[in-house]
Amino acid sequence: MKKFKTIFSLFSIVILVLLSACSGVNNPASTGGGAKENTMYLGLVNAPVSFNPINSSDIAASWLEKFMFDTFLEMTGPLEFTPKLAESFETEDNQTFTIKINKDANWTDGTPVTSADVAFTLNLVANPKTETAVGAYLTVLDGLTDDGKLPEGETEIPSITIVDEKTIQFKTKAPVDPNMVKEQLGSKFMILPEHKLKNIAPENLQKDPFMMKPTVTNGPFKFVKYAKDQYVEYARNDDYYLGDVELDKLFVKIMPAANLVAQLQTGEIQMNAAGGIGKIAVQDFETVKGFDNVTTTTDKTYGYQNMSFNMETITDKKVRQAIAYAIDRQKIVDQLLKGEGEIVDGPYTSISPYLDKELETYTYDPEKSKQLLEEAGWDFNKTIEFVVPIGNKVREQSANIIAENLKAVGLKLNTTTYDFPTIMSKARAGDYDLMLIGFTNTIDPDLTTIYGSAGSSNYTNYNNPKVDELLAMGKQEPDTEKRKEIYNELQAIWSDELPIFTLYSDYDFGAVSKDVAVGSPKVFGFHNELYKWSLAGVN
């Protein structure tokens, strides 16, 4: 039996290598002869929609942008922050925050990164005409409306003060939890170059060529090329303010998850992306752990997969609850994740300090599901449009289990699959009934972007004034224990009304080549000190 397993494992690797060879995704740069190239290759399964730092609702785009645009801080652990673009990010009263930009920070064209760039970006995000995915981060700022926008007729946020070229202050409406501000505006918010974009009308920003090919950046790498659905190419920023960048080039290759495994084996990539967007399929992880040329890690995450309901087509909460009771999530975790994951009830995973562990959860109960459908008067002749993104194999396979579960309680489904950019387009247009999608939020519990009626990622069209009120209270409450009470109340409402049914959080599997001297895939701090990333044996 052991011999059979060995033969089967070798056969699996051969098949994966053949898949890689047939994919048409080869290393874009050639090693040539002689010296070893100073280029690192990473693997990613999700293609980006664009490279607009203030309008990236997809995780892949935000992750890719952080190689070329620095955030003020980097979160290296749950609510642990280290300086990056900001030398300091401080408050004395939890209401007035002061950011000191690194004195040596420049844009890649030599122009200094200044407080004016920060103010320009914040005002741009607050402009009602700007298409943005990060507006919820600004809702706490004094002088803005509850949806983080400027009042009619205003062009600048009144609570922002440019102290000097490298120092800026902003004030919140009331004292807030500083960790929330440090995570959202500190570790996730990226700024734009005013001198390059100030003449672009806010309503035209998303369509500007800069957003697909950034010509000026401030991070350790410069953008070179995006070969659509194939790879993103970066080159070293020779004037990076934190130190000399070790790598000459970096490529992020976009490929099916199976090819990740094959190219880790062959050395065509040295690392997979962390955070679910470079996911090694769980059924392949045992194979990867057996590779002599890589080191592997397993981490719990704060990301999760969920089923989003279109609240305009699945209007009765009893129907949504019935669908929840019909789904065998434990089967997904046991069979598809091989136990390497956890069932999640609500938007906080087990590593979140804000998870309400006392909340009643949805168990697998088909009879309860049928009962609720009958009580709701569901028309069993109606076909439910179920859309599923491709790229994440476990998610794709989970859709099959979910479809079987729902058909077993009498529901009719039409299941269709799409690439991720198409899924995002359908999500925004509300062109679905049920949709599978993954979220990686923040350790801070604020989820205004998803559950707020005006949230940029509120793809369900969920609208509950009480929820909006509680979300606003949660953002403006500086006391941690009082915040927990507010988010416990929110979790109870979300569990009852169920605009989103969370399914599972799969552990993050990392693999990094032993050829990498510095750099590794990790859930927290992946982009920290990118300039130090290096390959062994390369000078």
Side-chain angles (χ1 to χ4, degrees):
M1 187 63 160
K2 185 175 181 181
K3 183 178 179 182
F4 173 78
K5 286 183 178 179
T6 302
I7 292 170
F8 181 77
S9 178
L10 289 170
F11 177 75
S12 299
I13 292 171
V14 170
I15 292 298
L16 288 171
V17 171
L18 287 172
L19 278 172
S20 174
C22 295
S23 70
V25 184
N26 298 311
N27 279 0
S30 171
T31 58
K36 187 175 180 181
E37 65 173 348
N38 191 19
T39 301
M40 193 179 291
Y41 298 88
L42 279 61
L44 179 72
V45 299
N46 292 108
V49 176
S50 73
F51 300 105
N52 182 348
I54 65 170
N55 194 37
S56 296
S57 53
D58 60 305
I59 302 167
S62 298
W63 185 85
L64 288 162
E65 287 156 8
K66 290 185 78 173
F67 287 96
M68 50 187 171
F69 292 98
D70 274 359
T71 50
F72 296 115
L73 307 170
E74 183 77 22
M75 188 162 68
T76 53
L79 301 181
E80 296 175 3
F81 304 97
T82 189
K84 203 168 187 180
L85 183 60
E87 290 183 350
S88 62
F89 193 119
E90 302 296 339
T91 181
E92 294 182 357
D93 59 2
N94 294 346
Q95 187 169 11
T96 299
F97 292 80
T98 303
I99 301 174
K100 288 187 178 295
I101 301 166
N102 189 293
K103 61 182 176 56
D104 298 320
N106 290 333
W107 296 100
T108 47
D109 62 359
T111 305
V113 177
T114 68
S115 303
D117 293 311
V118 181
F120 167 75
T121 308
L122 290 170
N123 285 320
L124 196 58
V125 172
N127 191 310
K129 295 180 180 179
T130 303
E131 187 180 338
T132 180
V134 296
Y137 298 163
L138 273 60
T139 56
V140 296
L141 296 191
D142 194 25
L144 297 183
T145 62
D146 289 341
D147 59 355
K149 293 298 182 181
L150 288 160
E152 188 175 352
E154 298 294 329
T155 58
E156 295 184 349
I157 303 171
S159 57
I160 291 177
T161 302
I162 293 178
V163 178
D164 58 41
E165 186 182 59
K166 292 285 187 175
T167 310
I168 190 167
Q169 285 184 341
F170 61 86
K171 186 178 180 181
T172 58
K173 296 170 183 172
V176 295
D177 184 344
N179 281 329
M180 176 184 71
V181 177
K182 286 184 177 181
E183 183 174 6
Q184 294 182 351
L185 286 177
S187 71
K188 291 186 175 292
F189 193 82
M190 290 168 269
I191 63 171
L192 293 167
E194 181 188 29
H195 65 289
K196 283 292 182 181
L197 298 171
K198 62 183 177 182
N199 295 324
I200 308 299
E203 61 270 27
N204 296 330
L205 193 69
Q206 178 61 27
K207 300 174 185 176
D208 192 81
F210 184 95
M211 299 311 169
M212 285 307 295
K213 186 178 181 180
T215 53
V216 173
T217 56
N218 60 20
F221 294 97
K222 298 185 290 187
F223 179 88
V224 176
K225 179 180 180 181
Y226 173 43
K228 186 173 172 57
D229 299 331
Q230 296 179 60
Y231 63 86
V232 181
E233 178 183 353
Y234 304 97
R236 178 179 61 207
N237 176 2
D238 290 321
D239 189 31
Y240 187 53
Y241 62 98
L242 286 179
D244 292 336
V245 180
E246 294 292 332
L247 296 172
D248 292 331
K249 286 192 173 186
L250 186 146
F251 286 85
V252 179
K253 301 170 69 175
I254 301 160
M255 64 189 74
N259 290 24
L260 280 177
V261 177
Q263 295 200 21
L264 283 165
Q265 163 75 0
T266 60
E268 292 175 79
I269 60 173
Q270 281 90 28
M271 189 188 312
N272 66 310
I277 53 174
K279 191 72 178 179
I280 298 171
V282 65
Q283 62 268 28
D284 295 331
F285 192 52
E286 283 299 318
T287 301
V288 175
K289 284 195 286 188
F291 293 164
D292 292 333
N293 63 323
V294 303
T295 301
T296 60
T297 57
T298 302
D299 292 312
K300 285 188 175 183
T301 77
Y302 52 99
Y304 56 91
Q305 298 294 326
N306 72 79
M307 171 182 283
S308 291
F309 294 93
N310 187 337
M311 298 287 283
E312 294 183 351
T313 60
I314 310 293
T315 57
D316 192 329
K317 73 177 182 181
K318 283 189 175 182
V319 175
R320 300 191 293 272
Q321 291 171 354
I323 289 173
Y325 279 117
I327 298 174
D328 189 351
R329 295 181 292 171
Q330 193 62 52
K331 185 176 182 180
I332 294 173
V333 170
D334 291 343
Q335 290 191 5
L336 301 185
L337 297 179
K338 311 298 184 186
E340 299 280 2
E342 59 184 359
I343 291 174
V344 177
D345 285 285
Y348 308 119
T349 70
S350 63
I351 66 173
S352 170
Y354 288 89
L355 173 65
D356 182 2
K357 296 178 181 178
E358 304 301 317
L359 187 67
E360 186 175 348
T361 60
Y362 285 89
T363 56
Y364 174 51
D365 192 339
E367 294 308 312
K368 178 73 170 177
S369 174
K370 293 175 184 177
Q371 176 190 333
L372 286 169
L373 289 170
E374 292 290 348
E375 289 177 8
W378 177 258
D379 178 4
F380 288 91
N381 291 315
K382 182 178 178 179
T383 299
I384 295 172
E385 295 295 330
F386 180 32
V387 303
V388 180
I390 58 175
N392 181 321
K393 290 301 178 185
V394 169
R395 182 166 58 196
E396 290 178 46
Q397 292 166 353
S398 76
N400 297 329
I401 292 176
I402 291 167
E404 290 173 7
N405 290 159
L406 297 186
K407 289 174 183 176
V409 297
L411 296 173
K412 292 177 65 176
L413 254 67
N414 178 40
T415 305
T416 50
T417 59
Y418 303 94
D419 61 25
F420 203 74
T422 303
I423 285 288
M424 295 305 297
S425 176
K426 284 184 166 290
R428 294 188 185 100
D431 185 16
Y432 72 94
D433 295 319
L434 307 178
M435 175 177 65
L436 296 190
I437 194 168
F439 283 129
T440 299
N441 303 319
T442 57
I443 287 294
D444 187 88
D446 176 52
L447 292 173
T448 305
T449 55
I450 297 171
Y451 291 96
S453 57
S456 59
S457 298
N458 179 6
Y459 306 128
T460 64
N461 293 306
Y462 182 52
N463 188 345
N464 183 328
K466 178 63 175 177
V467 166
D468 285 344
E469 179 186 343
L470 287 169
L471 286 169
M473 288 172 59
K475 291 188 77 166
Q476 295 170 9
E477 176 53 64
D479 183 88
T480 300
E481 291 307 313
K482 290 181 180 178
R483 288 192 85 199
K484 285 182 179 179
E485 293 175 9
I486 293 168
Y487 289 103
N488 281 355
E489 186 174 351
L490 281 166
Q491 288 172 77
I493 295 172
W494 295 333
S495 179
D496 176 57
E497 296 189 336
L498 216 64
I500 294 170
F501 179 51
T502 51
L503 300 168
Y504 59 89
S505 175
D506 45 344
Y507 300 154
D508 209 55
F509 302 134
V512 58
S513 169
K514 292 178 182 177
D515 286 339
V516 174
V518 178
S520 63
K522 47 192 174 183
V523 172
F524 293 100
F526 185 99
H527 296 87
N528 193 40
E529 297 186 329
L530 287 170
Y531 68 101
K532 293 183 179 180
W533 279 20
S534 61
L535 296 167
V538 178
N539 295 322

